[in-house]
Amino acid sequence: MTQTDYVIAAYVVAAVGIGSAVLWAYLTMRRAERAAQRLRER
Amino acid sequence: MHRFANPARFLRIARPATPLTFWTGLAIVATGLAWGVFLAPGDYLQGESVRMLYVHVPTAWLSLSAYLGLGIAGFSVLVWKHPLAEVVLAALAPIGAAFAAVCLITGSIWGRPTWGTWWVWDGRLTSMLVLLFLYLGVIALMRAYDEPSQGARMGSVLALLGLVNLPIIKFSVEWWNTLHQPASITLSGSSIDSAMLWPLLTSAVGFALLMASAVLMRMRALIAERKVAARTARMAMAAA
């Protein structure tokens, strides 16, 4: 493996790790706020 | 501080702040990383692998800062019993854990071409691994109780106890022999050339905003979940 391969691997790990944390936070927020909204409307 | 620890007031600020921090953070991270990868020079000693600096170092700074925030939230839970402090504690722990994990894995990937090994059990690496375990411990403790407030109190105790690990991480490179280099940026200045320092600081600001947006999202989710639970309980009592 060249040094560039290691750099690419590190950036992929960062993108996947932080990207999935932010995506999970967004999806749980959307689901919870929609559930609260539905309950308010009932 | 107590004035702002009101969930309704918090939501009025958090709703517009969430997309603002996310999109600004994403734009700044993209700028900082593109600057670091395509414009900043390689290192005279480490060559191209120094470009891992722009993801590894910001995630390290932020996982430590988030743990400090966790300790402050834990203190507020135990002393003032703020409901919003419980929410901060529950929101910060998984996001901080994700940043700590990314820091550890990118550090390991950096270690292979630089030191010739993926991992060594030295002071800096081991104390960072302990930080990740502390985050996981706080998450596990908070989920171990049926009553969320009791879980928050237990999680707060661990968050406060774990604060002792922060100076250990910071000074591990001075106290013990380690493969990890000592701090390049201190209060007295930086040994990093400005051609690398500016993209590093740019990506750190971007990652900080992304972390803030994720924490805001989790806080909004937790507040909404609590509202649903409270309203469902009220409806069940009314029906009974």
Side-chain angles (χ1 to χ4, degrees), chain B residues 55-79:
Chain B
V55 289
H56 174 70
V57 173
T59 51
W61 286 345
L62 289 166
S63 54
L64 265 71
S65 310
Y67 198 89
L68 184 63
L70 206 67
I72 294 168
F75 184 79
S76 303
V77 167
L78 293 173
V79 176

Side-chain angles (χ1 to χ4, degrees), chain A residues 1-11 13-18 21-37 39-42, chain B residues 18 22 33 37 46-49 51-52 54-55 59 94-95 98-99 102 105-106 109 112-113 118 207 210 214 217-218 220-221 224-225 227-228 231-232 235:
Chain A
M1 274 176 88
T2 67
Q3 286 189 337
T4 306
D5 295 332
Y6 287 105
V7 173
I8 292 168
Y11 277 69
V13 165
V16 170
I18 293 169
V22 175
L23 183 65
W24 168 72
Y26 172 71
L27 292 175
T28 54
M29 177 192 76
R30 200 175 64 164
R31 192 182 58 192
E33 289 191 340
R34 281 186 178 174
Q37 180 68 31
L39 210 59
R40 256 199 309 275
E41 287 166 359
R42 261 191 9 208
Chain B
T18 309
F22 174 75
L33 295 185
V37 170
Q46 295 189 32
E48 290 301 306
S49 60
R51 298 188 197 281
M52 284 181 254
Y54 309 108
V55 289
T59 51
I95 305 299
F99 274 74
V102 168
I105 298 170
T106 54
I109 295 170
R112 183 70 184 125
W118 298 100
F207 278 121
L210 278 185
M217 288 176 200
R218 280 303 296 151
R220 285 173 58 179
E225 282 168 11
K227 274 185 191 166
V228 168
R231 200 175 281 251
T232 310
M235 284 162 71

